[in-house]
Amino acid sequence: MPILETKGLNKEYASNHVLKDIHLQIWPGEFVAVMGPSGSGKSTLLYSVSGMDKISSGSVMFEGQELTDLSEQELAELRLNRMGFIFQQMHLLKNLNIRDNIILSTYLAKKSKRSSLNKRANELMKRTGILALAERDITQVSGGQLQRAAICRALINEPAIIFGDELTGALNSKSAGEMMGILNEINSAGTAVLIATHDAKVAANAERVMYMLDGNITAQLHLGKYNEAMGNFRNREERLAAWLLKMGF
Ligand SMILES: Nc1ncnc2c1ncn2[C@@H]1O[C@H](COP(=O)(O)OP(=O)(O)O)[C@@H](O)[C@H]1O
Ligand SMILES: [Mg+2]
């Protein structure tokens, strides 16, 4: 069973028909990137399939549950427990240290004891290389370090899927590369990943790339799982670049 499946998904803002009859499936543990020109509907797609935004018509099934059937409360719980989000506009809070930012939403939902959340946050910060910064305020760390904190926050409840929107957009190329390394590791451990990006270097990490144009998914490229040990990244980038050229990107 797909972890995520849409059928005839439509999203309209007033008279702007942004998503048009989208049928897609994401499988457990899959790593999928959505590319396409600015304004093609990538962000709207992520918001729609993750229950952040109400859809206009169609179906969005997540782990066998129809999202539109859920109450606000049920949806909030599902999102907290099963989904992780790394979106640029979802800022971390000032005057809270990194660790507290990571655990806050879960703690407020009374999901777990503070001590066990701290322990899990520490493990995640260790894994992403920011444990030494745990007590720092978010204004005292770099953009790349903040983005790692955002990853930790997204992972605190061991979600089945991570959604990311232009998650390397504000990072320099070295930080972006490190970020993708972490995301690959998370995905290798079994978490599905669905990201929107305009950056081919980022999308080349995905096993499948979908191309969006004008609210439609017009093409897909299967790159297969990236295996760092095989050192075939260059080849993936070339295949993706050739494909994007064909799409007129
Ligand atoms: N909250 C909103 N209200 C009205 N129109 C929106 C809103 N969000 C996005 N849109 C419109 O939807 C279209 C797709 O936007 P978006 O999903 O952000 O594209 P992308 O992420 O591919 O750049 C654009 O025409 C945009 O203006
Ligand atoms: Mg966008």
Side-chain angles (χ1 to χ4, degrees):
M1 188 177 69
I3 181 172
L4 180 64
E5 178 167 31
T6 74
K7 287 182 183 159
L9 164 60
N10 284 281
K11 173 71 182 175
E12 291 162 50
Y13 289 112
S15 62
N16 190 359
H17 198 163
V18 177
L19 298 179
K20 299 169 182 161
D21 192 36
I22 303 278
H23 293 253
L24 68 77
Q25 294 181 328
I26 309 291
W27 295 87
E30 220 188 353
F31 187 162
V32 178
V34 186
M35 290 195 77
S38 177
S40 57
K42 304 181 295 295
S43 296
T44 306
L45 180 68
L46 288 188
Y47 301 152
S48 296
V49 299
S50 62
M52 287 178 78
D53 229 353
K54 284 225 179 324
I55 64 174
S56 303
S57 66
S59 157
V60 180
M61 296 281 274
F62 180 78
E63 295 187 321
Q65 276 185 303
E66 178 63 53
L67 289 194
T68 51
D69 288 346
L70 301 178
S71 68
E72 286 293 319
Q73 176 68 28
E74 288 168 332
L75 190 57
E77 292 226 345
L78 181 71
R79 290 166 39 104
L80 184 68
N81 291 322
R82 304 299 296 156
M83 304 175 182
F85 298 88
I86 311 170
F87 287 170
Q88 269 181 27
Q89 72 280 21
M90 287 178 70
H91 297 297
L92 299 166
L93 297 174
K94 282 183 191 163
N95 306 318
L96 269 191
N97 69 33
I98 296 276
R99 186 192 289 110
D100 288 345
N101 262 292
I102 290 169
I103 69 167
L104 183 71
S105 50
T106 305
Y107 179 66
L108 291 178
K110 300 188 172 56
K111 278 282 157 229
S112 309
K113 281 208 187 106
R114 178 136 191 173
S115 56
S116 62
L117 282 175
N118 278 342
K119 188 161 168 267
R120 169 126 180 96
N122 286 348
E123 284 161 13
L124 290 168
M125 286 185 288
K126 190 167 176 208
R127 205 160 125 201
T128 54
I130 54 167
L131 183 56
L133 309 174
E135 258 98 56
R136 287 218 200 153
D137 190 273
I138 61 155
T139 54
Q140 299 168 319
V141 302
S142 72
Q145 290 162 340
L146 268 189
Q147 203 58 313
R148 288 167 193 233
I151 293 186
C152 295
R153 184 179 58 173
L155 286 171
I156 192 82
N157 282 322
E158 303 180 307
I161 188 166
I162 295 263
F163 297 101
D165 193 7
E166 304 290 357
L167 71 182
T168 58
L171 303 181
N172 62 37
S173 66
K174 179 162 174 280
S175 297
E178 289 167 359
M179 174 93 183
M180 293 318 294
I182 294 168
L183 211 61
N184 278 325
E185 247 180 72
I186 291 161
N187 178 246
S188 305
T191 311
V193 176
L194 178 60
I195 56 169
T197 182
H198 63 268
D199 186 345
K201 244 193 159 51
V202 170
N205 288 275
E207 64 186 292
R208 178 157 65 98
V209 183
M210 302 192 297
Y211 194 75
M212 265 202 111
L213 188 64
D214 221 1
N216 297 290
I217 293 169
T218 54
Q220 294 201 61
L221 175 69
H222 289 265
L223 288 169
K225 274 257 192 254
Y226 173 48
N227 182 344
E228 200 176 349
M230 281 165 64
N232 59 347
F233 196 74
R234 194 55 194 275
N235 175 264
R236 300 168 71 88
E237 280 188 291
E238 282 166 7
R239 281 172 64 197
L240 179 57
W243 182 74
L244 288 170
L245 200 63
K246 221 167 55 189
M247 298 296 128
F249 184 69

